Amino acid sequence: MFQENINQYIRSVRFKMPNELRNEYPFCLEAIQELTELNFKKNVSFIIGENGTGKSTLLEAIAVAYGFNPEGGSKNFNFKTNNTHSILSNYIKLIKGINWPSDGYFLRAESFYNVATNIEELDSITEPNLFASYGGTSLHEQSHGESFMALILNRFRGKGLYILDEPEAALSPNRQLALLSRIHELVNDHSQFIIATHSPILMAYPDATIYSIESSYEEVNLEDTEHFQVTKNFLNNPQRMMKILFED
């Protein structure tokens, strides 16, 4: 069943609904109720869906189940600023491949500030020169987008598992293209990416799997996603789109 992706660090995620918690968050989310098994067949897998559907909750659960800090970072990060992550990770099983990554990172846009703060604290107290792993400059002394790219260009070392939650949040279109280039470099160095995103630019990565969380985890083509279609229609005729939006 898994022969085609036996070399992936995470081959699949399996979930069994705890019936006694079916009506509680996050198990009440339709996307979670429809989840039984999700296979990661390619080196790059995207999970897409509208706001509130549960894609970030699922990504967080995968990361926590693998051993990452719920707020982000590598497996060595153990800080906690707000204990708000869900218990979904307790109810999923990760099916791993035959290889073990030598690097890994969980990047979530909404709590990256907390990660940057922890890096600053560690550099000043217990791990001097930690900034060198992130490009040599404090992440707080850079813009949000610059700090994202500093992390991805310097800290992601290859042969790794990288779980990214909406990495486009701080990135301009040009920087999203730069991220695609870096992802490709790392994939060629035996890395695996699992990414939750709204960005049709990122979804365009060649030979990636795109799972729509709104369609029972159906595998979809880029051109069939709402993200692509809305963006294309807007760019093709922005005046018409504005007229539709602003009509009384």
Side-chain angles (χ1 to χ4, degrees):
M1 180 178 180
F2 297 111
Q3 290 303 311
E4 61 183 295
N5 64 338
I6 195 170
N7 292 317
Q8 303 297 352
Y9 301 124
I10 298 180
R11 297 161 64 192
S12 70
V13 175
R14 295 176 183 172
F15 171 67
K16 185 175 182 181
M17 171 66 72
N19 289 324
E20 70 278 8
L21 300 176
R22 180 176 292 272
N23 296 322
E24 298 182 19
Y25 180 85
F27 307 103
C28 61
L29 295 174
E30 183 178 356
I32 302 303
Q33 293 190 348
E34 293 177 349
L35 176 63
T36 54
E37 184 171 5
L38 190 61
N39 294 323
F40 299 115
K41 298 174 288 186
K42 305 290 182 62
N43 285 1
V44 179
S45 301
F46 293 106
I47 299 174
I48 67 171
E50 190 50 84
N51 294 330
T53 52
K55 62 184 181 303
S56 291
T57 300
L58 174 59
L59 207 72
E60 173 194 86
I62 294 171
V64 172
Y66 202 83
F68 292 112
N69 187 297
E71 295 186 51
S74 70
K75 284 189 174 184
N76 295 325
F77 283 66
N78 57 16
F79 72 94
K80 179 171 65 176
T81 59
N82 197 359
N83 189 19
T84 58
H85 70 282
S86 78
I87 61 172
L88 181 60
S89 59
N90 297 333
Y91 296 90
I92 65 173
K93 180 180 180 180
L94 303 183
I95 308 302
K96 301 176 182 178
I98 60 174
N99 298 317
W100 191 259
S102 58
D103 189 32
Y105 216 91
F106 176 34
L107 169 63
R108 59 186 312 171
E110 67 178 30
S111 57
F112 185 66
Y113 180 92
N114 301 337
V115 173
T117 299
N118 190 245
I119 292 170
E120 192 133 325
E121 293 170 349
L122 292 173
D123 184 85
S124 64
I125 300 173
T126 60
E127 297 185 47
N129 299 320
L130 182 60
F131 285 149
S133 298
Y134 293 83
T137 302
S138 167
L139 298 177
H140 280 318
E141 294 179 6
Q142 305 175 63
S143 73
H144 201 184
E146 288 174 329
S147 63
F148 267 40
M149 291 307 298
L151 167 72
I152 293 162
L153 291 172
N154 298 288
R155 174 55 186 80
F156 289 14
R157 304 188 184 101
K159 298 179 179 61
L161 171 67
Y162 304 109
I163 301 176
L164 314 182
D165 185 21
E166 300 185 10
E168 74 277 7
L171 301 180
S172 70
N174 277 336
R175 288 296 176 90
Q176 290 181 49
L177 293 173
L179 173 57
L180 278 177
S181 177
R182 181 58 175 157
I183 287 173
H184 192 58
E185 290 177 354
L186 291 163
V187 165
N188 286 336
D189 192 19
H190 308 288
S191 295
Q192 179 183 4
F193 285 83
I194 302 173
I195 304 172
T197 186
H198 294 290
S199 170
I201 293 177
L202 297 186
M203 291 180 218
Y205 185 85
D207 200 34
T209 301
I210 305 175
Y211 285 115
S212 172
I213 204 168
E214 296 176 276
S215 303
S216 301
Y217 297 91
E218 176 185 356
E219 187 174 338
V220 296
N221 295 319
L222 169 66
E223 294 80 5
D224 296 327
T225 65
E226 184 179 45
H227 309 70
F228 178 87
Q229 293 173 1
V230 169
T231 303
K232 180 180 178 181
N233 290 338
F234 180 84
L235 293 177
N236 282 343
N237 198 335
Q239 292 79 14
R240 180 176 177 273
M241 185 69 76
M242 291 299 100
K243 184 178 180 181
I244 293 171
L245 289 173
F246 300 152
E247 278 181 345
D248 293 332

